[in-house]
Amino acid sequence: MATDFVSLTPGTLLAPVPAVMVSCALPGVKPNIITLAWVGTVCSDPPMCSISVRKERYSHHIIQESGEFVINLVGQPQLRAMDFCGVKSGRDVDKFAACGLTPVAVPGFIAPAVQECPIYLACRVTAVQELGSHDLFLGRIEHMGVKQELMDEAGRIHYSKAQLVAYNHGNYYELGKALGFFGYSVAAPDVLERRMKQLD
């Protein structure tokens, strides 16, 4: 049977994926930031996320010992800092200071959020799974913060104002215009028109 596909060796070809800065800390130790792309939502009730971290990364033992991490979504203004935090080690440099970033307290957490980022999700580790090159940290989302300027009077988050970025196999990309919404393919014409006008 004819096909237009080329067979490749199995690998991590899923794309695009979120590009985020994950902050972590231990008592008496300066907080650190690790840049990750192996991040995902895994459950909605309870709300949970996962991150995958190599054992040799400086943040691995911090997250393992503290049992918490904060996922900071990255907008275009934070892109250079995010890249820096991915190529430098917290063993050698204070990434908050080097990037001019501000740690901000998260209620009930040792790990700070990054003040300059538009959105954060603070997670408590519920399980660690050794996978091979990476360990997967499963985290329950216990606190979230969204910059006030992203919210409208109806309580909706306008993500376009956050200028979020994505990662695609070594490259960073800006997110484009909204093309639809969940269920748009079966929405009534009046609902479709109204909702599409609300997208930004």
Side-chain angles (χ1 to χ4, degrees):
M1 183 175 182
T3 177
D4 293 334
F5 289 100
V6 176
S7 294
L8 300 176
T9 302
T12 53
L13 203 57
L14 180 66
V17 292
V20 302
M21 293 193 290
V22 172
S23 45
C24 56
L26 284 169
V29 178
K30 68 179 183 295
N32 192 50
I33 301 169
I34 181 173
T35 297
L36 296 176
W38 292 179
V39 178
T41 302
V42 295
C43 188
S44 55
D45 187 17
M48 301 183 79
C49 283
S50 69
I51 62 172
S52 290
V53 184
R54 290 182 180 271
K55 281 187 173 69
E56 61 268 24
R57 298 293 296 269
Y58 177 68
S59 294
H60 183 283
H61 85 277
I62 297 176
I63 295 170
Q64 192 164 45
E65 290 184 29
S66 67
E68 59 182 51
F69 56 89
V70 179
I71 298 172
N72 301 274
L73 276 60
V74 173
Q76 291 179 41
Q78 299 87 47
L79 182 58
R80 189 174 184 86
M82 181 185 71
D83 185 70
F84 180 91
C85 291
V87 297
K88 294 293 185 179
S89 173
R91 295 183 182 93
D92 307 318
V93 62
D94 181 336
K95 296 183 188 179
F96 274 97
C99 295
L101 298 174
T102 310
V104 59
V106 176
F109 281 74
I110 299 170
V114 178
Q115 174 67 40
E116 289 73 15
C117 289
I119 300 170
Y120 72 80
L121 300 86
C123 304
R124 195 82 59 192
V125 175
T126 61
V128 182
Q129 177 69 49
E130 293 188 40
L131 301 176
S133 62
H134 291 65
D135 284 353
L136 181 144
F137 291 87
L138 194 62
R140 180 169 180 155
I141 302 167
E142 295 191 353
H143 196 274
M144 296 194 310
V146 178
K147 285 291 182 70
Q148 188 171 357
E149 60 263 28
L150 304 183
M151 307 290 293
D152 66 17
E153 293 178 356
R156 290 186 300 259
I157 302 172
H158 290 264
Y159 291 97
S160 64
K161 294 181 180 179
Q163 299 180 286
L164 298 176
V165 299
Y167 181 78
N168 189 357
H169 298 284
N171 301 309
Y172 307 113
Y173 293 87
E174 63 180 341
L175 299 183
K177 71 172 188 175
L179 302 175
F181 55 90
F182 180 72
Y184 86 98
S185 62
V186 296
D190 61 322
V191 174
L192 181 62
E193 182 179 6
R194 185 181 76 252
R195 288 288 304 277
M196 289 303 291
K197 287 180 180 178
Q198 292 174 346
L199 295 178
D200 46 29

